[in-house]
Amino acid sequence: MEYQLPARPTFWNVPHILEIAQYIFGLIAVFILLYGIIRYIRRWRSGRPEIFDLTWRQRIQALFKYGFLQARLSTEIRALIMHLSIFWGMVFLAIGTALATIDWDVTYLIFDFQFLRGNFYLWYELFLDIAGLALISGLFIAIYRRYILNLERLKTILIPTFPLDSFYLIAMLLVIAITGFIVEGLRLAVNDVSWEISAKWAFAGYGLSKLFRSIPDETIKLLHIIFWSVHAFAAFVFIASIPFSKAFHMIASGVSIALRKFDNPGYLTQNGGGVRFMSDFTWRQIVQFDGCTWCGRCQDVCPAYKSGQSLSPKNLILKLHKQHTIICKGNDKNSESKVEIPSLHGLVITADELWSCTTCIACETVCPVFIEQPRAIVDLRRHLVSEGEIDKGVQDALMNLQRYGNSVGQSDRNRARWTQNLPFKIKDARKEPVEYLWFVGDYASYDLRIQEITKTMANLFNSAGIDFGILYESERNSGNDVRRLGEEGLFEMLVEKNIAVLQKIKFDQIVTTDPHTFNTLRNEYPKYGASFKVLHYTQLLHKLIKDGKLIVKNNSHNKITYHDPCYLGRYNDVYEEPREILRSVCAEFIEMPRNRKYSHCCGAGGGRIWMEDKPGIQERPSESRVREAVSLAGVEILSASCPKDIIMFQDAVKTTKNDEKIIVKDIAELVWESIH
């Protein structure tokens, strides 16, 4: 069969009965696809209402950047190439199939005209061959990563529950792509067209056709029908199975990206008694669970998982993805406290998993589809708290917070005892106006290890001549970690008491040495009608140094490294000021391998500082971080800008036996040393 002009020989060698069968199976596949999508939409609609900004321009931009271009995979070139090759290969092949359908079923049969002719058809063939090879290349990279490298993060405990998992997805796409090329090669082996579709155009199919030309034409035609049928059937099965397999993430992940939150992650929404049933989650959260790509990037950066605890953010989300209702089951004498999911054949979300989370949002930061894993964990924690299923250390801390307004269980009259030996009097902001209200925080006020740093900070403020004061015994814990533990009622009580004091006094700005306090005052108090300008102390110190109110100089320290606190960095994007301060006081500043938004959590957040470690911990997050700092050649000091970090790292230096190799110091201490 020869063509004077290049043109698509639609249904060449395909019996009429198979043509009809294609349309029948195609319609069935589309109906099954739509049925599955409607089921998901109903599932999403079962969630609680959630209001979000209709910033469509931003959402379209986000979908293009993070969905179509996979921007969050830019740190992993192999994974980026794999996903882009598979995604865009499928997209262009789908477009090519759609064009072929329109060319035959609409323009040719109705108008007796084909647009897939001439040069346009040649380019069409070229692009489809490139797309097909890109898809196959991406799939082989996936096979290499998943089954040869056998990457830990790509493994899942849920494979028995997911028969249509990653293997199915890769296998089906490979069958579709490879049989497509074989069909093209067999057709070209018989149709040695005068216009010669050569390596310049349908180069892949043309190359395959050379392998088949020694075979008799009748055999080629028979093989063509067989492979055409396999190709078509596989495509229809794949389309129909999308809502019932891992492939559905191609739809749900795009929806999740488009509906992502644009506000600061430091604010948590209210959710009453937490999550007991699936419908207690919001509709947008359920969309996120269904959009999970199983990539394991969240698991790879999770400090809890890395330390050997039971939490895997990936597996937690996959359990939620497969569930229709959740029933929270409490302790009894013969069972562990757990959030039980009956239909998962014994796979449950345990209390240990939920309490392992440090709420550092490292998982959320790297998730390519913007799943908010910590928010879901906090919602599940809220129900456990309402049922009294909490760690004893947490229970003690919450009792102290309720009784004394601080987590250490000391009288509020002792909160400002650290000021007694200072050579100057700190103003009482309750009695006189101040420019800067210093919200000191629990550990900076009560912990003996941190009190010396607190005094140093007071001396720095005094040396700079700024007008500052504190609340003395009227200050209460800001409530950041209380809320992330799931104790919403206690959080609101602390907020109300603090706001009642803050609204009675006169000040221009709040400054705090605790990133957790900084986050809550800055992001959550405004939702309760109390908006203030809030600074972290490194921001204020940086300003004072820049304005010449603190004159610093290089001291004898050769090399210093810095740990980014989660609630200062990832939550609030404060990265530069601490680094500029350190560069001004040391000979050389060395970045940690994991820094800025990829900083590794110290392990104290989310109330973890109040909990005892369970047996089986391999290495605490703080110990891992200290070893990382020690591995940097010549580094003498690991600096931090959070009281909890200082506590965690000082302990870790001792437990890792690195006391003689590295010193842990607060940035305030380094600044004070540099001006004396």
Side-chain angles (χ1 to χ4, degrees):
M1 184 176 183
E2 295 188 4
Y3 296 86
Q4 294 182 348
L5 268 179
R8 179 175 178 81
T10 305
F11 291 125
W12 174 83
N13 191 48
V14 177
H16 189 62
I17 186 67
L18 289 182
E19 286 188 46
I20 297 172
Q22 176 186 255
Y23 291 108
I24 294 172
F25 282 114
L27 285 173
I28 292 172
V30 170
F31 279 125
I32 295 174
L33 171 66
L34 293 175
Y35 167 74
I37 292 174
I38 290 170
R39 284 185 64 201
Y40 270 103
I41 293 174
R42 287 176 177 169
R43 167 180 158 87
W44 299 342
R45 286 171 58 86
S46 70
R48 292 188 303 109
E50 181 177 355
I51 299 173
F52 68 101
D53 295 330
L54 294 174
T55 49
W56 292 114
R57 181 176 178 181
Q58 282 182 287
R59 298 191 181 284
I60 292 171
Q61 289 174 343
L63 180 60
F64 181 78
K65 180 178 180 180
Y66 298 107
F68 297 161
L69 299 183
Q70 304 280 314
R72 279 202 166 179
L73 296 179
S74 59
T75 56
E76 298 180 77
I77 298 302
R78 184 187 292 150
L80 178 64
I81 293 172
M82 178 195 77
H83 282 90
L84 289 178
S85 297
I86 293 174
F87 175 75
W88 285 108
M90 291 176 63
V91 167
F92 281 116
L93 288 174
I95 291 173
T97 302
L99 288 176
T101 302
I102 295 170
D103 177 66
W104 180 258
D105 294 336
V106 179
T107 61
Y108 179 70
L109 294 181
I110 298 176
F111 302 106
D112 194 25
F113 165 74
Q114 283 187 278
F115 57 82
L116 289 180
R117 295 174 67 86
N119 290 333
F120 181 75
Y121 176 59
L122 295 179
W123 285 104
Y124 170 88
E125 286 286 340
L126 176 63
F127 277 111
L128 287 195
D129 272 24
I130 293 172
L133 289 177
L135 173 59
I136 292 173
S137 300
L139 292 170
F140 275 114
I141 295 174
I143 291 171
Y144 175 73
R145 294 176 73 242
R146 184 171 291 275
Y147 302 112
I148 298 177
L149 290 181
N150 200 25
L151 297 178
E152 177 66 26
R153 75 181 197 206
L154 297 178
K155 299 175 184 177
T156 173
I157 63 170
L158 301 176
I159 287 178
T161 312
F162 289 88
L164 305 184
D165 66 353
S166 301
F167 177 79
Y168 167 81
L169 179 59
I170 293 171
M172 286 298 291
L173 291 176
L174 269 179
V175 168
I176 293 168
I178 291 173
T179 55
F181 276 125
I182 292 174
V183 168
E184 182 182 44
L186 290 168
R187 174 170 55 82
L188 293 176
V190 175
N191 289 281
D192 190 10
V193 292
S194 58
W195 40 273
E196 293 183 351
I197 299 180
S198 65
K200 183 179 179 182
W201 303 108
F203 60 95
Y206 185 80
L208 278 174
S209 72
K210 293 181 179 180
L211 301 177
F212 303 136
R213 288 182 180 176
S214 60
I215 302 174
D217 285 0
E218 291 306 313
T219 304
I220 289 178
K221 289 181 179 180
L222 176 61
L223 289 173
H224 177 270
I225 292 174
I226 293 171
F227 278 101
W228 183 92
S229 301
V230 171
H231 175 76
F233 184 73
F236 295 143
V237 169
F238 176 73
I239 291 169
S241 68
I242 286 175
F244 311 98
S245 69
K246 182 183 176 181
F248 187 71
H249 81 264
M250 297 184 298
I251 297 173
S253 62
V255 178
S256 179
I257 291 170
L259 298 179
R260 58 168 290 206
K261 286 176 65 177
F262 289 100
D263 56 355
N264 190 288
Y267 171 69
L268 285 175
T269 54
Q270 293 177 326
N271 187 2
V275 167
R276 184 182 182 191
F277 301 104
M278 200 70 190
S279 57
D280 293 331
F281 284 116
T282 70
W283 63 268
R284 199 169 62 85
Q285 285 179 294
I286 300 174
V287 169
Q288 290 178 356
F289 304 152
D290 296 338
C292 179
T293 65
W294 309 19
C295 68
R297 284 167 62 85
C298 56
Q299 177 179 289
D300 226 23
V301 298
C302 176
Y305 183 83
K306 287 295 184 181
S307 65
Q309 298 185 70
S310 57
L311 174 64
S312 162
K314 179 186 75 172
N315 286 332
L316 180 92
I317 296 301
L318 290 181
K319 292 173 186 177
L320 296 174
H321 163 59
K322 281 301 290 182
Q323 188 50 28
H324 295 287
T325 60
I326 295 178
I327 302 173
C328 289
K329 182 177 180 180
N331 268 333
D332 59 46
K333 293 181 180 179
N334 300 314
S335 68
E336 180 185 13
S337 173
K338 61 191 177 183
V339 181
E340 188 178 82
I341 304 180
S343 65
L344 286 185
H345 308 291
L347 292 170
V348 298
I349 299 173
T350 66
D352 276 350
E353 288 178 80
L354 301 178
W355 295 125
S356 296
C357 179
T358 66
T359 66
C360 68
I361 68 166
C363 52
E364 183 178 328
T365 301
V366 301
C367 178
V369 297
F370 293 87
I371 297 172
E372 299 161 4
Q373 299 92 336
R375 179 183 168 190
I377 289 172
V378 170
D379 283 339
L380 290 164
R381 280 180 171 184
R382 283 169 171 162
H383 182 76
L384 291 182
V385 169
S386 71
E387 295 293 309
E389 304 295 338
I390 54 178
D391 179 273
K392 186 182 183 304
V394 170
Q395 190 172 28
D396 292 342
L398 294 178
M399 289 286 289
N400 289 333
L401 284 158
Q402 187 170 15
R403 182 177 300 176
Y404 302 106
N406 63 74
S407 59
V408 296
Q410 292 196 32
S411 168
D412 53 11
R413 291 191 296 273
N414 294 333
R415 185 176 279 276
R417 181 173 287 181
W418 62 270
T419 66
Q420 292 177 356
N421 296 325
L422 290 173
F424 54 90
K425 175 69 175 175
I426 296 180
K427 283 185 177 182
D428 187 337
R430 299 168 301 174
K431 300 176 181 178
E432 55 184 318
V434 293
E435 181 179 1
Y436 293 99
L437 172 64
W438 183 7
F439 203 103
V440 185
D442 288 2
Y443 284 92
S445 297
Y446 291 108
D447 193 286
L448 295 177
R449 292 168 292 182
I450 307 300
Q451 280 183 356
E452 291 304 313
I453 299 172
T454 307
K455 293 176 185 178
T456 299
M457 181 61 61
N459 282 313
L460 283 171
F461 288 162
N462 186 62
S463 297
I466 67 171
D467 179 25
F468 74 101
I470 62 176
L471 294 174
Y472 286 85
E473 65 268 21
S474 294
E475 181 185 309
R476 294 289 182 272
N477 184 287
S478 66
N480 184 82
D481 293 338
V482 174
R483 188 169 218 193
R484 276 138 193 87
L485 280 169
E487 231 302 3
E488 195 70 17
L490 180 55
F491 167 73
E492 292 184 350
M493 184 191 80
L494 293 168
V495 170
E496 288 173 8
K497 289 188 175 182
N498 279 321
I499 289 178
V501 175
L502 293 172
Q503 289 180 337
K504 291 178 182 177
I505 63 178
K506 293 183 178 180
F507 61 91
D508 293 332
Q509 301 177 64
I510 294 178
V511 62
T512 180
T513 45
D514 180 17
H516 298 246
T517 299
F518 172 70
N519 176 72
T520 298
L521 293 177
R522 184 187 188 207
N523 298 310
E524 302 203 286
Y525 276 48
K527 306 295 182 179
Y528 292 85
S531 294
F532 312 108
K533 184 172 182 181
V534 186
L535 296 174
H536 185 253
Y537 82 92
T538 56
Q539 295 174 304
L540 180 54
L541 286 184
H542 177 259
K543 182 178 184 300
L544 295 174
I545 293 170
K546 190 176 179 181
D547 293 346
K549 294 183 178 180
L550 286 175
I551 308 300
V552 298
K553 59 181 183 292
N554 263 320
N555 54 26
S556 59
H557 303 305
N558 289 324
K559 294 181 180 180
I560 293 177
T561 192
Y562 172 66
H563 165 79
D564 289 283
C566 304
Y567 279 89
L568 187 64
R570 271 190 293 271
Y571 273 93
N572 289 287
D573 293 322
V574 178
Y575 296 116
E576 296 309 320
E577 290 91 335
R579 286 169 168 77
E580 291 188 21
I581 292 172
L582 290 171
R583 290 189 184 101
S584 67
V585 300
C586 72
E588 186 177 356
F589 172 71
I590 306 294
E591 286 282 13
M592 295 277 271
R594 294 176 288 185
N595 59 74
R596 298 177 184 268
K597 68 179 180 179
Y598 301 115
S599 175
H600 190 62
C601 176
C602 76
R608 285 294 308 170
I609 197 168
W610 301 323
M611 303 181 204
E612 290 290 333
D613 288 326
K614 299 285 185 181
I617 298 297
Q618 297 168 4
E619 184 176 62
R620 296 178 180 88
S622 55
E623 294 172 338
S624 172
R625 198 64 166 151
V626 164
R627 293 187 194 280
E628 191 174 342
V630 170
S631 71
L632 301 173
V635 166
E636 301 170 350
I637 293 175
L638 168 58
S639 63
S641 55
C642 172
K644 292 184 178 71
D645 287 342
I646 298 295
I647 292 170
M648 300 297 284
F649 292 145
Q650 285 181 348
D651 289 344
V653 165
K654 294 175 184 176
T655 56
T656 58
K657 299 183 175 14
N658 282 303
D659 334 37
E660 298 180 1
K661 296 180 181 178
I662 200 164
I663 301 171
V664 177
K665 287 194 174 185
D666 191 279
I667 287 180
E669 295 178 283
L670 296 171
V671 173
W672 181 250
E673 291 171 5
S674 75
I675 64 177
H676 286 82

